[in-house]
C-alpha cells in the first residue's frame, strides 16, 4: 500500500527516494522520543539528521536528475528584484518562529530578574491564607498565566519551586505530589492561551496566519473552562480540602504570613520598569498587525527582539550572562527541524503524509476534527510536539479542505485541532511535554514516589477530559464562527 | 564516546529549580509570636535548711518581683532528699513551673569546679521545667543583689524561631528593662566548612564565604527584628537589642556579659538528639558562674 501511494504521488521524485526519507523522518522522531536513552541533546540529534538529509539529497539529486536537483540551489530573489546568495539551509528555516522564540526568551530572562513573577507568586501565597484548596486554585491560576506569558517550562519551575517551599512551610507535604502533577497538567492548558505561549502555537499560528488577538479571543473560553475542570478534578483525585477549624486557619495564615514578597525584588525601579515593559510587550504583540507606517511588516519576531533589546539595557554590562542563558539547544533544534522538514518537502514525504491525512480530513467535519485532534494528541504524548506541529502545519497549509479555494483560511477549525492536540497530548505521559518533564524532576527531587506508569495512570484521566472538552469546543466554535 | 567530566553537570532546569527554590526560601521569614509565660508555682531547692530556703526565696522575689505577686512558692530543703531520684520524685509530685536552685547542690565536700553537679545535670535533662541557677555554686554562692532583674541576655547559636527562649527572657525582665538577643555563629566550624568548600572546584570559595556568612547572619537578624516588632505590637515595655555575629561562642559570650549589665542569661539546654546537655549551654553554665542563668 505504501509503495502504491508513493508511486501515485512521486511524479518527479523517485518513489524509493520518498520512501527512504520517510524512513529517515520516522527514525528522527523515534530518536527524539528516546532522547534520554541516547543521552544526546535535541539540537544534536536533529542537527545530525538535517546534515545527513542535506548531504544525501544533494548526492541523490546529482545522480538521479542533475538538470532538476531536488534541492533548489541558486540565488534568492527578493521582492524588490535583487538577488542574494544564501546557502540552501538558510531560507529553509522559518526565521519568524526562531526570532519570536529568541526574543521572547531573552525578554523573559531579563524581566524575571526584576522579581515580578516571584513577587506575584508570593503575594498570592499570602492571600491564600495557607488554605490548601485556595492555594491550589491560586497556584493553578498562576501556572496558567505564567505559562501564557512566559513559557510552560519556566512557569512549572517557578510555581513548582514555590509549591515545594510553601507546602513544606505549611507542613502539608502530603499534598505536594497532587499539587505538582496538577500544575504540570495546567502548564499545557496555559500554553494554549496566546499565540506565543507555546511553540506549536507559534508554528501553526504563523502557518495559518492567525493574529495574536483572534488567537487569544478564541483560546480564552476554553482555557478558563479547562482550568476550572482540571482544578475540580484535582480536588477530587488528590483530596485537597479547605481548612475547617478557626485554629487551623490561624496557624496556616501565620505560617504564610512569614513570606516577604519584597525580598525577591532587588530594585523597585527595575521592578516597575519591568512591569511597564511587560505590559507594553503584550500590547505591542496584540496590536502588531495594526502597527502604522509598515511597521507591521517587521513581524512579531522583531517585536520580541526589540523588547528583549530594551530590557537588556538594564544589564548593559552583563548582557553576555543573558546570552548564555538562552536555550541554544532549543533554537538549534528548531533551526535543524525546519531544515529536515524542508528536505522532506522536496522529497515529497510531506505530500505522502498529506495524502494519508487527506482521508481523515475528508470524513464528515465533526469526525474529521475529532480524529485529527485525537491523533495529534496521541502522537505528541510519546514524542516531541514541535516536529508534529511543524509537519502538520506545513501539510495543512496546502490542503484545500483546510485553506479553501483562497489558499488561506485562518478560521479553519483544523488549525485548532492541531494546536489543542499538540498541546494537550503532552499531558498523557511524563515525556509528553517539557513542562511535565520538569514536574517529574521536581517530584523526584522531593523523593516522591511516581513512576512513568504511575504518572500515566493519574494524568491520563485528566488528559482525556481535557481532550474531550477541546473536541467539544472545536465543534462549538466551528458552528458559531 | 564518554564525555570528559567527573561529576554530572546539572541540567538547565535543575539549576533553575534550585535557583527559584532559593529565591522563595530567602523570602521566608520565621516570625516571632509573643506569649505570656505563666509561672504559677516556683520550687526553691537548696541543700540547706528552711531558713536558707526562705532567704533564697526572698532574694528571688526581689530579683523577679512579678513572680512574688503571682506565684505559689514551694521550698525543698536538704533533709527532704537523699539522692537524685528522691529529688526527681518530689519535683514530679509538685510539678512546678520554675525550679530555682544552685550549681553543685549537696556537693560541698567535693570542692567542685567546672560542673553543674549531678542534681542539676540530671534535672536539666529529665525535667521539662525551666531551671533558674543562682550565681556561684551551692558551697560558694554569689549574692544575687538587692535589685530586680533588669538586664537579660538570650544566648544561643540558633535564635531564629525560638519563641520560647525569647518569651522566657521577656518574662524575667523587669518593666523598662533590656533584653539582648544574642546569636553567635561558631567561626571555627564556619572555617572548617570553608576549607572543604575551598577544595571543591565547582564552588567559588570567596563567593561562597561571602554568601553563606550573609545568610547565617540574615536569618537570626530577621528573627530578632520580628521579635522587636512582635513585642512592640503586644505592648510589652522592654528594650530589645540584637547582637548577631561570628566568633568563638564561649569567649564572645564572656565578653558580652562583661560589656553589658547582664543580670540573667537565658539559654536552651535540651538537645533532641541526645541526653546530654546542649554543648554551648553546658559550657556557659559552668564557665559563667557569676551570673544567674535560666536553663530551658
Amino acid at each position: 500500500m505504501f509503495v502504491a501511494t508513493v508511486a501515485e504521488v512521486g511524479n518527479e521524485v523517485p518513489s524509493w527516494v520518498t520512501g527512504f526519507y520517510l524512513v529517515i523522518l520516522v527514525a528522527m522522531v523515534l530518536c527524539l522520543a528516546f532522547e534520554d536513552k541516547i543521552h544526546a541533546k535535541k539540537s544534536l540529534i536533529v542537527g545530525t539528521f538535517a546534515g545527513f538529509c542535506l548531504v544525501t539529497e544533494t548526492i541523490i539529486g546529482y545522480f538521479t536528475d542533475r538538470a532538476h536537483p531536488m534541492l533548489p540551489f541558486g540565488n534568492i530573489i527578493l521582492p524588490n528584484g535583487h538577488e542574494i546568495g544564501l546557502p540552501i539551509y538558510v531560507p529553509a528555516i522559518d526565521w519568524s518562529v526562531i526570532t519570536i522564540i529568541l526574543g521572547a526568551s531573552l525578554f523573559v530572562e531579563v524581566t524575571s530578574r526584576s522579581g515580578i513573577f516571584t513577587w506575584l507568586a508570593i503575594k498570592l501565597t499570602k492571600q491564600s491564607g495557607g488554605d490548601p484548596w485556595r492555594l491550589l486554585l491560586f497556584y493553578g491560576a498562576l501556572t496558567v498565566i505564567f505559562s501564557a506569558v512566559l513559557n510552560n517550562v519556566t512557569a512549572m519551575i517557578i510555581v513548582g519551586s514555590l509549591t515545594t517551599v510553601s507546602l513544606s512551610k505549611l507542613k502539608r507535604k502530603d499534598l505536594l505530589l497532587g499539587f505538582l502533577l496538577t500544575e504540570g497538567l495546567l502548564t499545557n492548558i496555559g500554553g494554549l492561551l496566546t499565540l506565543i505561549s507555546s511553540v506549536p502555537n507559534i508554528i501553526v499560528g504563523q502557518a495559518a496566519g492567525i493574529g495574536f488577538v483572534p488567537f487569544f479571543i478564541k483560546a480564552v473560553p476554553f482555557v478558563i473552562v479547562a482550568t476550572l475542570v482540571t482544578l475540580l478534578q484535582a480536588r477530587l483525585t488528590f483530596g485537597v480540602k479547605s481548612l475547617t477549624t478557626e485554629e487551623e486557619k490561624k496557624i496556616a495564615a501565620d505560617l504564610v504570613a512569614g513570606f516577604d514578597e519584597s525580598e525577591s525584588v532587588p530594585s523597585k525601579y527595575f521592578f516597575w520598569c519591568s512591569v511597564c515593559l511587560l505590559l507594553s510587550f503584550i500590547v505591542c504583540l496584540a496590536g502588531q498587525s495594526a502597527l502604522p507606517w509598515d511597521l507591521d511588516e517587521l513581524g512579531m519576531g522583531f517585536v520580541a527582539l526589540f523588547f528583549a533589546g530594551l530590557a537588556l539595557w538594564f544589564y548593559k554590562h552583563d548582557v553576555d550572562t543573558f546570552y548564555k542563558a538562552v536555550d541554544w539547544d532549543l533554537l538549534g533544534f528548531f533551526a535543524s527541524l525546519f531544515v529536515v522538514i524542508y528536505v522532506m518537502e522536496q522529497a515529497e514525504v510531506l505530500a505522502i503524509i498529506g495524502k494519508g491525512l487527506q482521508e481523515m480530513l475528508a470524513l464528515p467535519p465533526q469526525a474529521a476534527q475529532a480524529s485529527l485532534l485525537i491523533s495529534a494528541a496521541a502522537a505528541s504524548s510519546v514524542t516531541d510536539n514541535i516536529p508534529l506541529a511543524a509537519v502538520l502545519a506545513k501539510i495543512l497549509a496546502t490542503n484545500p479542505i483546510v485553506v479553501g479555494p483562497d489558499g488561506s483560511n485562518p478560521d479553519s477549525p483544523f488549525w485548532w485541532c492541531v494546536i489543542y492536540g499538540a498541546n494537550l497530548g503532552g499531558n498523557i505521559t511524563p515525556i509528553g511535554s517539557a513542562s511535565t518533564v520538569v514536574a517529574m524532576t521536581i517530584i523526584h527531587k522531593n523523593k516522591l514516589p511516581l513512576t512513568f506508569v504511575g504518572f500515566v495512570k493519574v494524568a491520563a484521566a485528566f488528559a482525556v477530559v481535557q481532550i474531550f472538552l477541546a473536541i467539544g469546543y472545536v465543534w462549538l466554535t466551528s458552528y458559531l464562527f | 564516546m564518554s564525555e570528559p567530566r567527573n561529576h554530572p553537570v546539572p541540567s538547565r532546569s535543575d539549576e533553575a529549580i534550585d535557583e527559584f527554590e532559593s529565591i522563595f526560601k530567602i523570602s521566608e521569614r520565621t516570625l516571632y509570636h509573643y506569649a505570656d509565660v505563666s509561672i504559677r508555682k516556683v520550687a526553691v531547692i537548696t541543700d540547706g535548711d528552711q531558713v536558707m530556703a526562705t532567704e533564697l526565696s526572698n532574694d528571688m522575689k526581689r530579683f523577679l518581683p512579678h513572680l512574688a505577686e503571682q506565684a505559689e512558692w514551694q521550698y525543698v530543703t536538704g533533709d527532704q532528699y537523699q539522692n537524685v531520684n528522691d529529688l526527681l520524685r518530689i519535683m514530679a509530685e509538685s510539678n512546678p513551673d520554675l525550679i530555682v536552685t544552685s550549681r553543685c547542690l549537696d556537693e560541698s565536700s567535693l570542692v567542685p569546679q567546672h560542673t553543674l553537679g549531678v542534681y542539676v545535670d540530671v534535672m536539666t535533662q529529665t525535667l521539662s521545667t525551666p531551671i533558674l541557677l543562682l550565681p556561684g555554686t551551692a558551697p560558694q554562692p554569689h549574692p544575687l543583689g538587692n535589685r530586680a532583674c533588669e538586664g537579660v541576655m538570650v544566648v544561643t547559636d540558633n535564635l531564629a524561631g525560638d519563641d520560647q527562649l525569647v518569651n522566657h527572657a521577656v518574662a524575667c525582665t523587669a518593666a523598662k528593662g533590656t533584653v539582648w538577643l544574642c546569636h553567635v555563629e561558631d567561626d571555627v566550624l564556619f572555617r572548617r566548612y570553608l576549607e572543604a568548600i575551598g577544595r571543591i572546584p565547582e564552588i567559588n570559595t570567596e563567593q561562597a564565604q561571602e554568601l553563606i556568612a550573609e545568610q547565617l547572619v540574615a536569618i537570626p537578624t530577621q528573627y530578632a527584628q520580628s521579635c522587636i516588632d512582635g513585642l512592640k505590637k503586644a505592648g510589652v515595655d522592654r528594650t530589645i537589642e540584637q547582637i548577631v555575629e561570628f566568633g568563638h561562642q564561649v569567649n564572645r559570650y564572656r565578653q558580652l556579659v562583661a560589656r553589658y549589665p547582664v543580670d540573667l542569661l537565658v539559654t536552651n539546654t535540651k538537645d533532641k538528639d541526645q541526653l546530654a546537655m546542649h554543648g554551648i549551654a553546658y559550657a556557659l553554665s559552668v564557665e559563667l558562674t557569676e551570673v544567674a542563668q535560666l536553663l530551658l
Side-chain angles (χ1 to χ4, degrees), chain B residues 115-165:
Chain B
T115 173
L116 289 174
V118 66
Y119 286 92
V120 175
D121 210 0
V122 174
M123 279 196 294
T124 57
Q125 293 313 299
T126 54
L127 302 177
S128 58
T129 315
I131 299 173
L132 195 147
L133 291 182
L134 296 163
T137 61
Q140 294 170 312
H142 290 193
L144 200 53
N146 288 326
R147 61 194 198 92
C149 174
E150 289 179 342
V152 176
M153 184 172 276
V154 171
V155 291
T156 176
D157 55 359
N158 187 14
L159 178 67
D162 207 335
D163 292 355
Q164 188 194 247
L165 203 59

Side-chain angles (χ1 to χ4, degrees), chain B residues 240-256:
Chain B
I240 310 294
E241 290 187 12
Q242 50 168 303
I243 299 164
V244 179
E245 55 190 35
F246 278 83
H248 181 276
Q249 291 177 323
V250 177
N251 287 348
R252 282 304 295 146
Y253 282 123
R254 197 197 302 275
Q255 290 162 3
L256 290 170

Side-chain angles (χ1 to χ4, degrees), chain B residues 59-78:
Chain B
D59 286 351
M60 278 308 299
K61 284 171 185 172
R62 276 195 298 275
F63 190 62
L64 301 173
H66 60 287
L67 284 189
E69 299 154 15
Q70 298 167 358
E72 173 196 338
W73 293 74
Q74 178 197 3
Y75 309 111
V76 180
T77 51

